[in-house]
Amino acid sequence: MTAPGTRYILICSGKGGVGKTTLTANLGIALARQGVRTAVLDADFGLRNLDLLLGLENRIVFTAQEVLAGSCRLEQALVKHKQEPNLALLPAGNPRMLEWLKPEDMQRIAAMLGEQFDIVLIDCPAGIEDGFKNAVAAAQEAIVITTPEVSAVRDADRVIGLLNSHGVQPIQLVLNRVRPKMMANQEMLSVSDVTDILALPLLGLVMEDEQVIVSTNRGEPLTLNGTKSPAALAYNNIARRLRGEEVPLLDPTKAGRGLRAKLGRLMTTKIF
Amino acid sequence: MTLRDFIDKLLGRQPASANVARERLQLVLAHDRSDLNPELLEQMRREILEVVSRYVEIDLDEGDVSLETEDRVTALVANLPIKRARPLAEPGTAADADPASASSAPAGDGAIATA
Ligand SMILES: Nc1ncnc2c1ncn2[C@@H]1O[C@H](COP(=O)(O)OP(=O)(O)OP(=O)(O)O)[C@@H](O)[C@H]1O
Ligand SMILES: [Mg+2]
């Protein structure tokens, strides 16, 4: 059904607005820069945004819709990134597609993409309804992204259960919008709280970072221009780990060297 | 318990919100994962207590039947302190109970794990 050798990775969260599309765009660029032929598939047909985050919104001619209908070839719909030609976007079609789109349609698209790409990243819509079921049908593995907040973690847990029942494997975790100071003060769930509760291996941590907003304003993902911001570094490291490289994970509350960080460490030490 | 928790307790302060969040999550996820609604859980709790009380006298105030979750495995954990074994099978309630085995029944935890 899907081409051997190609990795199909679903990026999902359950809860909306936790950073799926931002991760897909940045990871796509980072992988492409590392020499991986990467396709990003916008499976959020209702509220598509991946084109905008990649700065490709003005170059869309055809979409997944025309490809499925047979009215254009895959090559005509794929939008190649000018600066990173290793990356191509397959745009989502009209929201009315949701009326007829089936899991098998997504599998057909995935199989087509498999012929020319090493990794296919699938940007999943929020929720666990039809949009999720269609997207998951095209995936073999998954990255679940969440923030250290109760509602996001709870929804992530639901999604992990569904991924398990679909046989998606491996499932890895990205923790987004981490605020080290709040974590050190124990006013935010810690990294180990979240990984223990969800029982998933951690693929990466992304700090809360203003540069994310600046980069979305411009339609230039942070990983595109070698920016040194914390989030850019995190996305690049996630790409490297995804490719099997061992890149150490830093505990954000243990990174600081100031008095505040030391005090924070002391306060979170288990005494009994 | 961390040093911060200890100091909070000492000063009678509210625990750090991260700890509250963790505990609330663990509880809500135990229920989400088992797919048992609170009503069914309550019914099951009542029936379990009923069956157990046929054999032994339990401390209902201290007793606890609850869901716990760890590593994506949810367990039904019953902690039922036994006051004493029922001396004789009471007619109608434990007609087929063997008094000898009831008196040697171990007290404490029983866990049924579900995937
Ligand atoms: N690490 C971060 N630091 C700061 N802001 C962030 C970070 N990650 C994401 N955001 C912001 O959060 C918002 C939601 O991000 P994004 O659109 O990627 O989420 P999503 O999960 O795809 O949402 P949806 O469920 O609607 O598709 C955006 O405004 C984005 O700029
Ligand atoms: Mg999105």
Side-chain angles (χ1 to χ4, degrees):
Chain A
M1 198 171 307
T2 44
T6 302
R7 291 173 69 185
Y8 298 89
I9 307 173
L10 183 69
I11 298 181
C12 58
S13 65
K15 187 173 161 63
V18 297
K20 295 177 291 295
T21 307
T22 310
L23 176 64
T24 310
N26 279 284
L27 197 51
I29 296 277
L31 286 167
R33 280 171 69 98
Q34 292 170 24
V36 183
R37 294 176 304 162
T38 308
V40 287
L41 169 57
D42 192 347
D44 195 347
F45 295 96
L47 299 162
R48 65 182 212 194
N49 269 325
L50 190 53
D51 53 348
L52 205 52
L53 292 204
L54 286 165
L56 299 175
E57 70 274 18
N58 292 325
R59 296 188 32 219
I60 295 174
V61 184
F62 296 111
T63 68
Q65 184 172 356
E66 287 78 31
V67 176
L68 279 170
S71 53
C72 82
R73 284 175 296 114
L74 178 65
E75 279 66 29
Q76 295 174 286
L78 284 172
V79 186
K80 217 174 231 176
H81 198 281
K82 281 221 176 80
Q83 278 165 273
E84 281 310 326
N86 272 333
L87 182 84
L89 163 75
L90 183 58
N94 190 297
R96 277 199 305 270
M97 267 180 93
L98 291 172
E99 289 163 19
W100 53 264
L101 194 76
K102 297 241 152 41
E104 300 80 68
D105 297 322
M106 294 299 287
Q107 287 167 344
R108 262 175 62 208
I109 292 181
M112 285 187 242
L113 289 170
E115 285 168 26
Q116 32 179 316
F117 295 97
D118 305 314
I119 292 187
V120 177
L121 300 177
I122 306 162
D123 184 19
C124 190
I128 52 174
E129 295 82 25
D130 288 351
F132 172 82
K133 285 178 195 136
N134 288 332
V136 77
Q140 288 164 349
E141 41 185 306
I143 299 173
V144 172
I145 179 168
T146 187
T147 60
E149 289 174 76
V150 285
S151 54
V153 174
R154 183 192 196 178
D155 292 355
D157 191 76
R158 258 284 144 86
V159 161
I160 294 164
L162 291 174
L163 290 170
N164 282 330
S165 63
H166 278 88
V168 175
Q169 197 45 257
I171 309 171
Q172 303 183 82
L173 185 72
V174 167
L175 191 55
N176 193 23
R177 308 195 78 151
V178 169
R179 297 169 188 242
K181 229 182 236 170
M182 289 190 75
M183 270 190 189
N185 292 333
Q186 293 189 53
E187 299 298 356
M188 179 172 261
L189 286 166
S190 72
V191 178
S192 59
D193 283 343
V194 179
T195 53
D196 287 355
I197 287 173
L198 296 179
L200 287 187
L202 189 62
L203 182 64
L205 292 172
V206 185
M207 302 297 150
E208 174 79 28
D209 186 344
E210 290 177 358
Q211 290 304 312
V212 171
I213 298 171
V214 175
S215 78
T216 53
N217 287 343
R218 297 188 198 285
E220 294 169 2
L222 283 174
T223 44
L224 189 58
N225 299 316
T227 323
K228 287 284 183 299
S229 87
L233 186 68
Y235 290 128
N236 279 316
N237 284 342
I238 290 170
R240 289 165 62 193
R241 288 189 199 103
L242 205 56
R243 295 173 49 231
E245 219 179 295
E246 266 191 43
V247 186
L249 275 156
L250 292 176
D251 183 333
T253 58
K254 307 226 159 91
R257 264 175 294 159
L259 190 62
R260 217 172 201 298
K262 277 190 189 144
L263 191 66
R265 279 199 288 277
L266 182 66
M267 297 298 268
T268 53
T269 310
K270 281 220 162 62
I271 48 175
F272 50 82
Chain B
M1 181 179 274
T2 65
L3 190 55
R4 160 81 192 255
D5 299 338
F6 183 69
I7 294 172
D8 286 343
K9 222 171 217 166
L10 219 59
L11 300 178
R13 276 200 306 221
Q14 278 204 327
S17 69
N19 293 346
V20 180
R22 187 177 49 238
E23 277 164 25
R24 291 178 62 217
L25 260 173
Q26 274 161 346
L27 199 68
V28 80
L29 289 183
H31 285 259
D32 284 358
R33 287 171 182 172
S34 69
D35 245 341
L36 275 175
N37 64 44
E39 221 170 282
L40 265 180
L41 187 66
E42 185 49 42
Q43 188 184 336
M44 185 163 69
R45 189 203 316 269
R46 266 202 310 272
E47 284 177 24
I48 288 171
L49 290 180
E50 199 183 292
V51 171
V52 175
S53 342
R54 266 189 239 152
Y55 298 88
V56 289
E57 208 173 300
I58 48 183
D59 188 341
L60 282 175
D61 297 329
E62 296 292 313
D64 183 29
V65 179
S66 62
L67 290 175
E68 282 175 20
T69 183
E70 213 183 301
D71 277 342
R72 305 202 64 77
V73 176
T74 302
L76 178 71
V77 179
N79 195 331
L80 308 171
I82 295 176
K83 280 189 186 154
R84 67 180 85 85
R86 296 232 181 263
L88 279 168
E90 284 165 28
T93 53
D96 45 10
D98 172 24
S101 72
S103 60
S104 63
D109 284 12
I112 308 160
T114 61

